[in-house]
Amino acid sequence: MSAFIQQLPALIGVVIGALGSYLAIVRGDRARFRRERTARWEERRLAVYADYARSLKKSVTLAYRVASHLGNDPHPHPLSPEEAEPLLAEATLARDPSGEALILLGSPEVVERARAWVVGVMEMEQFLRDGTRDPQAWQTLLERQRAGREGYYAAVREDLALPPGHSARWPVQPVQHT
């Protein structure tokens, strides 16, 4: 029995070491799982954020083209309201599912900034549906929409801990024909 008692401290040390190793591995696995889960959700949120921006930008581009037809915007490819109507309806319908995904996965700040952006776009669309010909008022709506877009992108970058990005505001110079 005295041999067993002599070996008991070593045996206790092995058991304690095994338990310590087990606990360290379990904690490491849990931490890795949390990091991977967070990364997966961030990737999904980025995809939802980008999809929403693309769907809204499609509406904006169509609005530029219709505004050009009405004489409010210098877009080089004017589109009559009649030609644009089915395209605008399609773009609006495409916004709905991406907007729902945004509400589901987006942070409250991003969703609020998305709402501000889409309200600006909807004001532009109403302006065009009314057939308004007022380039100055159109410019005011454009600035509101651009500020909404900039706010949305800033909120997305903050939510995903991305570095600051470009404001996407740059003057478009008229094309010089030679």
Side-chain angles (χ1 to χ4, degrees):
M1 182 71 113
S2 71
F4 176 73
I5 292 178
Q6 287 177 342
Q7 298 297 322
L8 191 57
L11 185 58
I12 290 173
V14 168
V15 170
I16 289 173
L19 282 173
S21 293
Y22 173 77
L23 291 175
I25 289 170
V26 167
R27 289 186 77 187
D29 284 350
R30 283 184 186 163
R32 189 182 77 233
F33 174 76
R34 282 191 299 271
R35 281 192 309 272
E36 289 172 357
R37 183 181 59 195
T38 299
R40 280 193 307 274
W41 280 111
E42 284 180 359
E43 288 172 10
R44 288 180 181 152
R45 281 198 327 269
L46 177 59
V48 165
Y49 292 164
D51 185 48
Y52 184 77
R54 273 190 301 276
S55 69
L56 205 52
K57 187 61 177 161
K58 186 174 184 178
S59 295
V60 170
T61 300
L62 287 168
Y64 287 162
R65 293 182 67 194
V66 174
S68 177
H69 177 82
L70 296 174
N72 294 320
D73 194 274
H75 194 282
H77 304 289
L79 189 64
S80 74
E82 295 78 24
E83 293 172 304
E85 188 175 337
L87 299 172
L88 285 167
E90 180 183 316
T92 300
L93 288 174
R95 272 194 327 238
D96 286 344
S98 61
E100 290 301 316
L102 179 77
I103 291 168
L104 179 65
L105 295 177
S107 74
E109 179 66 19
V110 170
V111 172
E112 183 56 32
R113 294 298 182 104
R115 186 200 61 76
W117 186 17
V118 78
V119 165
V121 172
M122 290 166 52
E123 289 171 349
M124 291 168 60
E125 291 170 339
Q126 184 61 50
F127 180 91
L128 298 172
R129 277 193 300 278
D130 293 343
T132 308
R133 295 175 189 270
D134 184 348
Q136 198 66 16
W138 176 252
Q139 283 302 312
T140 300
L141 289 173
L142 279 182
E143 284 305 312
R144 192 173 306 142
Q145 181 274 142
R146 288 176 179 146
R149 183 178 93 186
E150 192 175 331
Y152 173 75
Y153 286 141
V156 166
R157 287 185 188 104
E158 184 177 323
D159 183 44
L160 298 176
L162 299 173
H166 194 278
S167 69
R169 289 180 181 241
W170 54 79
V172 177
Q173 301 299 322
V175 177
Q176 300 291 329
H177 296 285
T178 56

